[in-house]
Amino acid sequence: MTVQMTVQAPLASCNVFLDLLAREAAPVEFEEPVASARAAGATPETLAQLEAAKLTALRVSAGMRRQARREAELTALFDLAGDLAGLRDLDAILEAIVRRARRLLNADIAYVTLNDDECGETRMCMTDGSISAAFRRLRIPLGDGLGGLVAQTAMPYSTEHYLRDPQFRHRPFIDAAVAEEALVAILGVPMRVGSRVIGVLYAANRTERPFAPEQAVLLGSLAAHAALAIGNARLLAETRATVEELDAVNGRLRARGAAIERAAQAHDRMTALVVKGGDAGDVAAVVTEVLGGTLYVLDAAGRCLVASGEAVPLAEDDLPAVTAATHPRGGTTRHGDLWITPISTPGEVLGTLALRTDAGLDDADRRILERAALVTALVMLLRRSPAEAEARVQGELLDDLLDGKVGERTGGGTGGRTDAWAADGATGRTGGGATDGFVAEGAPGLEARIRRVGLERNVPYVVLSARCASSRHRGRAAFWAASYAATAHGLAAARGEEVVLLLPGDVPGETARRVAKELGAALAAPVTVGAAGPVRDLSGVPAAHREARRCADTLLALDRMDDGADARELGFVGLLIGAHRDAKGFLEATLGPVLDYDARRGTSLVRTLETYFGSRCALSRTAERLHVHINTVHQRLHRVSRLLGEDWQEPERALEIQLALRLHRLRS
């Protein structure tokens, strides 16, 4: 009976250990069966058997715990792989990795750094458990610190005390950030894509709590999953960026294709307008319909011919920029909100297109504007051919007038007057009385030519002689003059070095200055214009032309370039060059008020002036010669100042007055 009980005791104790294993008891509970048997007085053999069973049970318990921990780790890795598979954002992937690493390794902090090969550094990308802002902002040169050692060797590395470990290269700013984070034990494992290390995954403790080898293996598994997910995220980001870039390129290509198609359609429309006989205004309307804004079409003189679109006048301040941009080889230029392109042929600028728009113009829009300039140039050239033919008709008539072939008096009459406007069809009359008509050409033919060029009846005309500074401008000057004369209902002709104009008007000097200014602006060169007239009879055109020529010659001799005047405006010089030597007109213009005052009042202002100038403007000597008191001389000269103006003693006017006084004495 005693032997049987002795055998059953160890068996019961072994069942106890099995029960402890079944309920996964703590290791300390496996000591209780041995302690109970020793207290009950069990034999040494029984105690030895119980001790052996305990040790076996503890080994089995430890294996079970390791297996459970391994299963938990595998489950965590499986869950992490599932989580990472569903993430596309890199920051979200890194956040999931460091959070899982910190929990699985029961670490105080987990973090990850990624290498930037272009910058030659590795930067802190994500942390979990960090308390230091400086640590989260770390950027470390490649090869420095514990991470540099891990990246270079591509092997895990752990240290029990980071700041005292000599196995890697320390940097003061790295050690300061680690000290601020209070890190002591650190484990780092490489994250590899193929053979390339892209970063390092870390787990760290703030006490000297080293990491076991199995923890390094576990963190390495996490790093492998992280590297794969990061590579996929980067590949996806690169693919997305490539797709977006391709979409942008396709969008630009589509926009460019649409712009080219729009430009081609606009060009086709403008070309069709030319075929249908459209003008520059029709072309401008197409441009503003396509590009918007306001399009101004200016001629070579800078005058606005057409304004299409919003009716906003072209500012005077914009004209210099528009003129400066008109070069035969120039493209489209910008001045503020104006886009300017020249209307030109290979050797001549015909005008300018100026588009005012708040929106910018891309290359295709500028091509539309430049094509519009080309089509406008074609329109102008097509219009020029009839204009040149008309100019030839005008020039031939004016040439005949200047040469005296039209407007000569018929013989046989005395005191008769030639009237080109009242010709009644007869080639001339003979016999007594007045004679009307022209022997060189029948009146009906002359009347037809006059009607054709648009000359008006009963209107005074002035004759202008325009001179260009350079001979290369004469062709353009002749064309401009023909256009100007046609618009003004006059005539124009090029004769040698001059361009002659016959224009309606009765103020020759003012007309000459206006033509000099506008023609000079069109040619961008000085133009000098002499004028004569007005004439009311075509027979007076040759004489007026000769006077206008002499006036232009005088202006050039006086270096009055880029100016215009008539003989009367040149003072005594005009008296010398004038066709009719209008001495009376010169006297009236210079001394008229004084002469009238003496005639009405019976005074001696003229005699006083003669004596004053003859006495070298000395008041006392003048008084002696006139036998009057000096105050009387003062009063008379004061009266002259009121009649002629306070500037009558200025050198230029004084010379004119002395010449007029001498002429008055001679006439008297």
Side-chain angles (χ1 to χ4, degrees), residues 100-122:
R100 194 66 56 91
R102 182 186 179 197
R103 188 171 71 247
L104 288 179
L105 272 69
N106 193 27
D108 294 330
I109 179 176
Y111 54 97
V112 62
T113 60
L114 294 180
N115 296 342
D116 188 343
D117 295 331
E118 293 183 0
C119 297
E121 62 184 13
T122 182

Side-chain angles (χ1 to χ4, degrees), residues 44-84:
E45 292 81 3
T46 301
L47 291 175
Q49 291 176 357
L50 289 173
E51 191 68 29
K54 181 193 74 171
L55 294 176
T56 301
L58 286 173
R59 286 195 297 273
V60 172
S61 176
M64 292 175 62
R65 285 196 299 273
R66 286 196 299 272
Q67 184 66 27
R69 186 169 61 251
R70 185 61 179 166
E71 290 179 356
E73 292 173 353
L74 291 175
T75 300
L77 289 175
F78 181 78
D79 293 341
L80 177 62
D83 293 342
L84 295 179

Side-chain angles (χ1 to χ4, degrees), residues 236-275:
L236 181 62
E238 292 174 359
T239 303
R240 184 180 293 114
T242 302
V243 171
E244 291 176 354
E245 184 177 354
L246 289 175
D247 287 341
V249 171
N250 288 333
R252 289 195 295 270
L253 289 176
R254 287 193 297 270
R256 184 176 180 83
I260 292 174
E261 178 65 22
R262 184 178 62 160
Q265 291 177 356
H267 188 242
D268 291 343
R269 290 177 59 187
M270 289 184 287
T271 305
L273 287 174
V274 176
V275 175

Side-chain angles (χ1 to χ4, degrees), residues 93-153:
I93 292 173
L94 297 176
E95 183 180 2
I97 290 170
V98 296
R99 187 173 61 249
R100 194 66 56 91
R102 182 186 179 197
R103 188 171 71 247
L104 288 179
L105 272 69
N106 193 27
D108 294 330
I109 179 176
Y111 54 97
V112 62
T113 60
L114 294 180
N115 296 342
D116 188 343
D117 295 331
E118 293 183 0
C119 297
E121 62 184 13
T122 182
R123 59 186 179 86
M124 188 74 67
C125 291
M126 190 63 65
T127 64
D128 186 66
S130 174
I131 58 175
S132 169
F135 186 79
R136 291 193 296 271
R137 292 194 302 267
L138 269 179
R139 301 180 74 91
I140 305 170
L142 292 176
D144 290 349
L146 185 148
L149 178 63
V150 172
Q152 288 179 337
T153 61

Side-chain angles (χ1 to χ4, degrees), residues 343-651:
I343 305 169
S344 61
T345 63
E348 180 182 5
V349 175
L350 304 176
T352 313
L353 291 186
L355 177 67
R356 186 184 299 280
T357 177
D358 294 331
L361 298 185
D362 56 22
D363 291 340
D365 292 339
R366 287 196 289 270
R367 281 197 295 273
I368 291 176
L369 188 60
E370 289 165 3
R371 287 180 177 180
L374 181 62
V375 174
T376 305
L378 179 59
V379 170
M380 288 183 172
L381 290 176
L382 291 175
R383 293 287 186 272
R384 175 185 284 186
S385 297
E388 289 177 343
E390 185 67 23
R392 283 195 296 272
V393 173
Q394 295 179 8
E396 290 171 359
L397 177 57
L398 184 54
D399 280 335
D400 289 344
L401 289 172
L402 296 174
D403 293 338
K405 296 179 181 179
V406 176
E408 295 179 354
R409 292 181 184 275
T410 59
T414 59
R417 188 181 67 86
T418 303
D419 191 353
W421 312 115
D424 58 2
T427 59
R429 301 177 188 170
T430 60
T435 301
D436 292 337
F438 305 91
V439 298
E441 180 176 2
L446 176 61
E447 182 71 15
R449 294 177 68 185
I450 290 173
R451 285 199 304 269
R452 183 173 180 181
V453 299
L455 293 183
E456 299 181 8
R457 297 174 179 273
N458 303 321
V459 171
Y461 283 82
V462 296
V463 179
L464 307 178
S465 175
R467 311 288 180 84
C468 301
S470 174
S471 59
R472 63 188 179 90
H473 292 134
R474 290 172 191 160
R476 291 174 57 195
F479 179 74
W480 182 93
S483 301
Y484 188 89
T487 304
H489 302 291
L491 299 177
R495 293 172 65 88
E497 64 180 8
E498 68 172 340
V499 176
V500 183
L501 294 94
L502 179 69
L503 300 176
D506 56 4
V507 188
E510 181 179 334
T511 306
R513 284 185 289 276
R514 182 174 66 251
V515 170
K517 178 181 178 181
E518 296 185 13
L519 179 54
L523 301 179
V527 174
T528 304
V529 181
V535 296
R536 299 181 180 274
D537 191 327
L538 291 182
S539 62
V541 170
H545 173 233
R546 289 190 293 271
E547 181 175 328
R549 281 178 58 89
R550 288 194 298 270
C551 186
D553 291 337
T554 303
L555 290 173
L556 291 173
L558 295 173
D559 290 331
R560 289 178 59 175
M561 309 295 291
D562 201 15
D563 195 4
D566 63 10
R568 284 186 294 272
E569 293 176 332
L570 296 177
F572 72 93
V573 177
L575 178 64
L576 297 176
I577 66 173
H580 302 291
R581 307 293 193 269
D582 187 8
K584 183 178 180 181
F586 177 72
L587 282 174
E588 289 292 336
T590 309
L591 281 178
V594 175
L595 294 172
D596 290 343
Y597 191 87
D598 278 352
R600 286 186 286 106
R601 302 292 183 92
T603 54
S604 302
L605 296 183
V606 171
R607 183 184 172 198
T608 302
L609 283 174
E610 289 177 339
T611 307
Y612 176 71
F613 285 118
S615 302
R616 299 182 181 181
C617 302
L619 296 176
S620 58
R621 192 176 303 170
T622 303
E624 290 176 3
R625 291 185 178 183
L626 292 174
H627 305 292
V628 297
H629 194 274
I630 192 172
N631 289 339
T632 303
V633 176
H634 269 294
Q635 294 173 0
R636 291 180 182 180
L637 295 182
H638 179 68
R639 174 62 61 185
V640 171
S641 297
R642 294 184 60 183
L643 293 173
L644 298 183
E646 296 294 336
D647 62 340
W648 67 273
Q649 296 189 70
E650 294 294 329

